[in-house]
Amino acid sequence: MRKDCLITNDQAKAAIELFDHGYGYVATATKLDVHKPTLKLLHDRWLVRGTMAVMEPHQRRRIPADTKIATAKRYLAGEHKVELAKELGLASSRPILDWVKEYRDKGDAAFAPPPSSNKGKTARMHAIDNGQDPDADPAPSKPDVMTKKTRAEDISLAEYRQLQDRLLRAEAENAYLKKLRALRQNGQL
């Protein structure tokens, strides 16, 4: 059983025996005097994986988005969640209900990858990511008195990336040192 489970291994084994004898999770929870929602999850796994496999750890798998959508459609068409979970080799049928909710909310775009974040990127980094030459002169515009006098041509792309790496390392080291100082001030070190 999982370490964060609310029932012991002995209680889980007794519950599985009662499931095998035809008891539902509510009757089993009452008989064993354990938490009903925990037994509901165990019962769901027992329905999907069978008696012996429930007590063994289950290997998580990555399910493709198109399979999730097809499964949600099949469930909405009337197929049973336990049969679908068995077919996909899931630990329980709970993910299917989550996929159905997501599919109802967002449709076919439900499992599209999230857009990448551009947080913290400079204009120069955006240009490099978009395949543009960051050193190329932009369209002529009015001179800005607040701009720095360093020219983009003064630094090569390799030097720029080296400086960027050094900056990231320095920021990480700074964060580490701040945390270390806070721990020492709290008397934890």
Side-chain angles (χ1 to χ4, degrees):
M1 291 302 300
R2 291 177 21 190
K3 294 175 186 168
D4 61 344
C5 193
L6 298 175
I7 59 175
T8 65
N9 279 341
D10 293 334
Q11 289 172 323
K13 289 176 185 175
I16 291 168
E17 285 181 29
L18 291 172
F19 295 157
D20 286 337
H21 290 341
Y23 284 83
Y25 76 91
V26 174
T28 303
T30 304
K31 190 167 183 106
L32 297 176
D33 192 30
V34 294
H35 194 232
K36 288 178 189 165
T38 300
L39 274 190
K40 184 175 183 177
L41 294 172
L42 181 65
H43 187 258
D44 185 47
R45 286 193 310 246
W46 173 79
L47 287 172
V48 172
R49 297 176 63 202
T51 301
M52 298 307 293
V54 171
M55 298 300 284
E56 298 169 3
H58 188 263
Q59 188 70 26
R60 292 182 67 123
R61 299 179 9 179
R62 184 175 300 262
I63 306 294
D66 56 339
T67 304
K68 292 178 183 179
I69 292 172
T71 304
K73 288 179 180 178
R74 288 174 59 190
Y75 176 80
L76 292 172
E79 291 190 47
H80 198 274
K81 64 182 180 180
V82 172
E83 295 303 318
L84 293 169
K86 283 181 183 178
E87 183 180 312
L88 292 173
L90 300 174
S92 72
S93 62
R94 182 68 212 177
I96 292 173
L97 298 177
D98 295 338
W99 300 343
V100 169
K101 182 182 183 313
E102 185 92 6
Y103 178 72
R104 281 184 180 149
D105 292 345
K106 298 180 183 171
D108 286 336
F111 304 104
S116 64
S117 172
N118 289 329
K119 185 177 180 182
K121 289 190 175 184
T122 64
R124 185 174 176 85
M125 292 166 65
H126 285 291
I128 292 170
D129 290 344
N130 293 332
Q132 300 168 349
D133 183 9
D135 297 329
D137 285 332
S141 62
K142 296 179 184 176
D144 187 3
V145 294
M146 297 302 289
T147 58
K148 293 185 179 181
K149 299 302 179 192
T150 306
R151 294 175 40 100
E153 292 83 7
D154 293 342
I155 187 169
S156 70
L157 182 59
E159 290 173 321
Y160 169 75
R161 291 199 175 159
Q162 284 178 341
L163 290 172
Q164 187 178 16
D165 288 342
R166 287 176 54 195
L167 175 64
L168 290 173
R169 277 192 219 106
E171 287 173 345
E173 184 177 324
N174 189 23
Y176 174 79
L177 292 172
K178 282 181 180 179
K179 191 167 224 169
L180 184 63
R181 182 185 308 142
L183 290 172
R184 282 190 178 153
Q185 287 176 349
N186 292 337
Q188 295 178 351
L189 280 181

